[in-house]
Amino acid sequence: MRHTATIAVESSKSSLVKPMPAKVAFNTSRVSPWLTSLLYPLGHYIVLPFHFGKIEITGQEHLPKDGPVILAPTHRSRWDALMMPYSTGQMVTGRDLRFMVTADEVKGLQGWFIRHLGGFAVDIKHPAISSLRYGVELLLDKQMLVIFPEGGIFQDGEVHPIKPGLARLAIQAELSKPGLGVKIVPMSIRYRPRIPRWGSQVKIAIGAPISVADYTNGGGGKKEARLLTAELEMALKNLDESC
């Protein structure tokens, strides 16, 4: 996978979204147990240990073992798509990861693999409400999503401004079912050197979860979404500095 995407859905009303039904009309992906049981151990035990000199992970105690979760890591390389299962997936939490990806990535053979590994697409040029609904449905089903909140790969060593789509998606899910308990987990992934090569070192820092319910008391409007986005961005910067 190259990178994941965020979505931007505007609302002209004071409330960010209206509560949505728990089920929507269709699925866009699924997790294939036989495929994940083959590919993830391959990456975990062979590909990543062979390619990288050292992979250091801190903060795994912050990972929720159940409930709806959005993992929100910085995005520094295509290797991040393997680092996420390595540091947070089945072998750590017993949970499958549902990656939000760009629409261009779910074409052809690559798209088949992505969809059967749980990835689902968003057209960032023409974001459709169906993509937003599917992300909400996954959270209502208490699954673990991966959304790279910067919206692209950046290798300059800086945390870039967070796109608003993640906060809007999280708040919409929480409003759809009050008491759902959506959590956002900030993560920092850093490579040394910044552009990874054979023998590079990797540091992955996992921060304390952010409770989305804290940002719905005022109706879950644009103000709350901005505040949630700001808290996530600050958490990412703090984690990145600690790596």
Side-chain angles (χ1 to χ4, degrees):
M1 297 182 211
R2 291 192 298 275
H3 58 80
T4 58
T6 56
I7 47 182
V9 177
E10 295 292 342
S11 172
S12 59
K13 299 182 180 180
S14 58
S15 176
L16 178 65
V17 290
K18 293 182 179 180
M20 297 177 60
K23 297 296 181 182
V24 295
F26 62 91
N27 287 335
T28 59
S29 71
R30 67 183 181 89
V31 177
S32 174
W34 72 266
L35 190 60
T36 57
S37 65
L38 174 66
L39 294 184
Y40 285 155
L42 181 65
H44 191 98
Y45 292 113
I46 298 176
V47 177
L48 293 179
F50 175 79
H51 187 80
F52 291 94
K54 181 179 181 182
I55 302 175
E56 180 182 342
I57 305 170
T58 59
Q60 285 179 316
E61 68 276 9
H62 294 309
L63 293 169
K65 298 298 193 299
D66 52 35
V69 178
I70 300 176
L71 301 178
T74 56
H75 205 2
R76 301 295 172 256
S77 167
R78 295 182 184 181
W79 285 102
D80 297 347
L82 290 179
M83 291 297 171
M84 291 302 297
Y86 183 88
S87 60
T88 67
Q90 275 281 353
M91 297 181 184
V92 179
T93 62
R95 308 184 68 176
D96 294 311
L97 303 183
R98 307 302 299 270
F99 283 82
M100 180 183 286
V101 302
T102 61
D104 290 341
E105 293 179 86
V106 291
K107 297 178 181 179
L109 181 60
Q110 173 180 279
W112 184 90
F113 276 98
I114 290 174
R115 287 192 302 271
H116 285 76
L117 290 171
F120 64 101
V122 172
D123 186 345
I124 59 176
K125 296 179 181 178
H126 305 94
I129 191 64
S130 60
S131 296
L132 176 62
R133 285 175 177 161
Y134 187 65
V136 170
E137 182 186 5
L138 292 175
L139 291 174
L140 290 172
D141 197 35
K142 299 183 179 180
Q143 298 201 42
M144 182 177 280
L145 278 61
V146 179
I147 303 177
F148 291 95
E150 295 165 295
I153 294 176
F154 298 97
Q155 298 178 316
D156 57 3
E158 301 292 330
V159 174
H160 286 246
I162 301 305
K163 304 297 183 183
L166 187 151
R168 293 170 179 164
L169 173 63
I171 290 175
Q172 176 158 342
E174 192 67 35
L175 290 176
S176 297
K177 186 178 181 181
L180 181 62
V182 179
K183 299 292 191 297
I184 300 174
V185 178
M187 296 179 59
S188 171
I189 303 176
R190 290 183 70 93
Y191 298 89
R192 289 184 173 82
R194 291 177 184 171
I195 300 177
R197 58 176 182 262
W198 187 83
S200 294
Q201 296 187 355
V202 189
K203 287 191 175 183
I204 302 173
I206 304 169
I210 299 170
S211 175
V212 177
D214 294 342
Y215 294 88
T216 60
N217 293 331
K222 292 182 179 179
K223 178 181 178 181
E224 287 79 13
R226 286 195 296 269
L227 291 172
L228 177 53
T229 299
E231 180 177 353
L232 174 59
E233 186 170 320
M234 181 58 65
L236 289 174
K237 288 180 178 179
N238 291 337
L239 283 172
D240 214 50
E241 290 174 0
S242 70
C243 283

